[in-house]
Amino acid sequence: MKDQSPGRRTVLCGAAAAGAAGLGLTACSGSGGGGGRAPATPTAPVDLGAADAVPVGGSRLYREERLVVSRSSEGEYRAFGAVCTHAGCVLTSVERLEADCTCHGSRFDTTTGEVLAGPAGSPLPPVPVKVEGGRLVAGPGD
């Protein structure tokens, strides 16, 4: 009768695959392994730089600040937290008025924060934004 237990190679390959899957989950969860997540929106005002860096009719992703800002017309800015509401990944790119999260394929409207494609089920959280001296400042007011 042949031994039914898995071979050493099978066990090692399975362990490696499980470890890689765990690393992928951690990388996309946004938790950083520390158990606590950074807030999805700023808790203090954040200077984003020149207001004209956001094109009229377009958007700009401020990945480090975890914000996305759209400008539908001259002087009309809207900002949202750039953390995907599905698994906590920071959005990866914007094209015109849409933002992408490549972790799982969610897409968002950068003028409303609404989900255009899932698996995200909740909109991006709005963030107050204003122009001060030609610079964009996002986050809670004084």
Side-chain angles (χ1 to χ4, degrees), residues 16-33 37 86-89 102-104:
L23 287 174
L25 181 61
T26 300
C28 285
S29 70
S31 68
R37 288 188 178 179
H86 171 246
C89 297
T102 57
C103 284
H104 301 105

Side-chain angles (χ1 to χ4, degrees), residues 4-141:
Q4 296 290 342
S5 63
R8 181 172 185 258
R9 181 181 180 112
T10 303
V11 170
L12 291 176
C13 287
L23 287 174
L25 181 61
T26 300
C28 285
S29 70
S31 68
R37 288 188 178 179
T41 60
T43 57
V46 177
D47 184 336
L48 298 175
D52 62 2
V54 180
V56 174
S59 306
R60 179 164 177 195
L61 177 62
Y62 295 88
R63 202 166 151 71
E64 286 291 314
E65 294 81 2
R66 299 160 58 116
L67 293 166
V68 62
V69 178
S70 65
R71 184 178 180 190
S72 55
S73 63
E74 194 64 45
E76 185 81 22
Y77 297 91
R78 304 259 341 246
F80 298 91
V83 176
C84 181
T85 58
H86 171 246
C89 297
V90 177
L91 301 179
T92 50
S93 65
V94 295
E95 186 175 325
R96 295 199 36 85
L97 297 173
E98 294 183 8
D100 293 313
C101 177
T102 57
C103 284
H104 301 105
S106 293
R107 290 182 66 81
F108 298 89
D109 181 318
T110 61
T111 63
T112 64
E114 293 299 315
V115 177
L116 298 174
S122 301
L124 297 173
V127 174
V129 64
K130 59 187 170 188
V131 178
E132 290 182 348
R135 300 182 70 77
L136 282 177
V137 178

